[in-house]
Amino acid sequence: MTTPALEAPDATQPDAARATPGLARRTLAVFARNKLALAGALVLLALLAFCFLGPLLHPTDQIHTDLSQAGLAPGAGHPLGTTDLGYDLLGRLMYGGRTSLEVGLAAGLLATLFGTLYGAVAGYFGGWVDAAMMRVTDAALAIPALFLLVVVAAIVTPSKPVLILIIASVAWLSPARLIRGEALALRGRDYLHAMRLMGGGGGRAVFRHIVPNAIGTVIVNATFQVADAILYVAYLSFLGLSIPPPAADWGSMLSTGITYTQVGYWWLIFPPGIAIVLVVAAFNFIGDGLRDALDVRLKNN
């Protein structure tokens, strides 16, 4: 009488794949103890509501200019004043923030996704595959990111999808190197040896083991990538390489405002500048909080 073969899922499943509800509660508790991280999350939620729900409460015309209303200081009817073309600045701050957040989030997440897969493949396979892939990364990192962005943005006509691809094409380099280091550390683990002995291939190793076990690093890095992407949007817009008018973003608003500083239009500078600082700081605080909450050493305490 033959005995049925027993499956051995535990031999090939990493600890991260067997997370418990208690571990999730501990992660949230560690994050909640970080006051700056909580403040960052609240600020981010407030900015998202401001940009995406605000136009419903404060509708404005951000397409047609009205020169008779140009350059008005903050007051009744225009809480933040008007721009040089007569746009209501509060409404423009909402629509401009929507563009900055959409491009920043999409570019940061796309860069993180591609960089994670690229680094995981390079780190797991090692050898000449790793050497060839990382030489490409090193060569690209040797060129200043802002220079690459300016060159590419000057060649093509920026639109929202194009701007996302331009920023992501530069931003993926950092997560690729980071995840490659994680993959080098993980590929020698016992569960990966067991997986290979059972006939598992490289694709299974990367998607079922390397990436899930590096998910904490990926999530934390994604928050920093989004913050950097929002800054890249502001850089390009400040240099005049943003989405053409009547579209706007916080960087182009800041660039326009600086043009009118000498005539005292201070309200054109402070709102977009403060918004950029708040959203970048919020993502960085959230990233710091997630880094502590997802730290393996804290989970094991």
Side-chain angles (χ1 to χ4, degrees):
M1 183 175 181
T2 59
T3 303
L6 297 177
E7 294 184 3
D10 293 339
T12 60
Q13 291 297 320
D15 292 338
R18 301 192 297 270
T20 63
L23 182 58
R25 286 195 296 269
R26 179 179 296 185
T27 300
L28 290 175
V30 173
F31 183 85
R33 286 201 296 267
N34 191 320
K35 303 304 181 185
L36 287 177
L38 282 179
L42 292 175
V43 169
L44 181 59
L45 288 175
L47 287 172
L48 289 172
F50 173 77
C51 295
F52 290 92
L53 300 179
L56 300 177
L57 303 176
H58 183 72
T60 57
D61 185 357
Q62 297 297 324
I63 298 178
H64 303 95
T65 61
D66 185 1
L67 297 180
S68 65
Q69 299 292 312
L72 297 180
H78 301 288
L80 294 182
T82 62
T83 70
D84 58 311
L85 296 177
Y87 296 120
D88 178 80
L89 190 63
L90 179 60
R92 200 152 189 81
L93 194 67
M94 296 174 183
Y95 282 101
R98 184 180 297 181
T99 299
S100 294
L101 289 171
E102 287 177 349
V103 174
L105 283 167
L109 295 177
L110 181 60
T112 301
L113 176 62
F114 181 78
T116 296
L117 295 178
Y118 191 95
V121 170
Y124 174 74
F125 287 99
W128 67 268
V129 175
D130 178 46
M133 294 178 71
M134 297 316 296
R135 293 301 75 76
V136 172
T137 305
D138 292 340
L141 284 170
I143 306 173
L146 186 57
F147 175 77
L148 287 175
L149 288 172
V150 170
V151 170
V152 176
I155 294 173
V156 299
T157 301
S159 62
K160 193 177 291 186
V162 170
L163 205 57
I164 291 171
L165 292 176
I166 290 174
I167 295 174
S169 67
V170 173
W172 68 271
L173 301 169
S174 176
R177 289 185 62 87
L178 185 64
I179 302 304
R180 180 250 185 181
E182 292 282 327
L184 287 174
L186 290 170
R187 68 176 184 172
R189 297 290 178 88
D190 291 340
Y191 56 80
L192 279 174
H193 289 308
M195 183 273 300
R196 285 190 288 266
L197 290 174
M198 296 172 66
R204 181 181 178 85
V206 169
F207 289 102
R208 294 290 299 275
H209 299 286
I210 298 294
V211 173
N213 269 272
I215 195 65
T217 302
V218 172
I219 292 173
V220 173
N221 183 259
T223 60
F224 297 127
Q225 288 301 316
V226 171
D228 290 343
I230 292 174
L231 282 178
Y232 284 143
V233 175
Y235 294 157
L236 292 175
S237 301
F238 189 81
L239 296 174
L241 299 172
S242 63
I243 302 172
D249 59 76
W250 289 336
S252 62
M253 293 175 64
L254 193 60
S255 178
T256 301
I258 289 180
T259 306
Y260 292 89
T261 52
Q262 295 182 350
V263 294
Y265 288 7
W266 57 267
W267 59 90
L268 298 181
I269 299 176
F270 287 105
I274 292 172
I276 292 172
V277 171
L278 284 176
V279 71
V280 172
F283 273 109
N284 279 281
F285 289 152
I286 292 172
D288 288 337
L290 288 174
R291 181 178 56 198
D292 293 340
L294 297 172
D295 194 323
V296 176
R297 289 169 299 179
L298 291 178
K299 292 178 182 178
N300 293 331
N301 285 341

